[in-house]
Amino acid sequence: MRNDFTRLNFGWWACFKDTQPDMFEYGTSRAAAWDCPTTVMRHEGTFESNPRIADNLEVIRRWEDARAEGFLTEEMKEMLKNLEEEHILLINEEKKFELVPYAPLTTADERIAAFAFERKGGVYAVIWHKTGEGELCLPLAAENLCYESQLGDGDLKVKTVDGCVLLDLAGRRYLSGSFTLEELKEAFKKASIKE
């Protein structure tokens, strides 16, 4: 069935103006677990109206590239079949694929998307603005924070104002530092966006 493209299709997903990267991360990871294709339907104007379309397409590209390269082992595929856990496919500091479990963070503002994961002995968050752009005001200490558009780039500036770090929030971004998972969870419960 794989050879003649008749396997079950995990796709036929509509892409709306509010479709988010985590939705495609979930769907494409499940499709990869069972070696199934995915399909995204494009309705006129929806790609242009979605502020996260580049991030959504990047998620799909990563999963398809990982599948084409044979990155996913049978053990990884079994892990992805566990519906109680979600995963993110990262491109790490060595520009290699890395698969880690991640979980949503509760946020004070519904426009903030944030997921936490642990790797290399540290705590990370992948974050983005769901509906546009703005600055994230996050009550965390600025020391030892690393804010990146891609892991290993260390390319984004962190400002501090009134005990909060201000982070440019547009596309998907990665945050790491010397905080614990509990400290990160508490910070996102108090986070806000400045437009």
Side-chain angles (χ1 to χ4, degrees), residues 77-135:
K77 290 176 187 177
E78 286 304 311
M79 183 174 66
L80 293 171
K81 291 177 183 177
N82 176 3
L83 301 181
E84 301 300 315
E85 189 171 61
E86 294 187 45
H87 296 82
I88 185 170
L89 184 61
L90 302 169
I91 296 177
N92 65 21
E93 295 84 352
E94 290 79 38
K95 305 305 177 202
K96 303 283 186 194
F97 290 120
E98 186 176 329
L99 181 66
V100 296
Y102 79 154
L105 293 167
T106 301
T107 61
D109 187 319
E110 64 185 25
R111 297 171 295 172
I112 303 168
F115 290 76
F117 58 94
E118 297 181 67
R119 62 184 287 273
K120 294 187 174 187
V123 176
Y124 291 74
V126 57
I127 57 180
W128 64 89
H129 191 304
K130 290 181 179 180
T131 60
E133 298 182 13
E135 279 189 314

Side-chain angles (χ1 to χ4, degrees), residues 129 132-137 147 167-170 192-195:
H129 191 304
E133 298 182 13
E135 279 189 314
L136 176 66
C137 180
Y147 192 51
L167 309 172
D168 168 53
L169 201 57
S192 61
I193 288 181
K194 294 183 177 186
E195 301 290 344

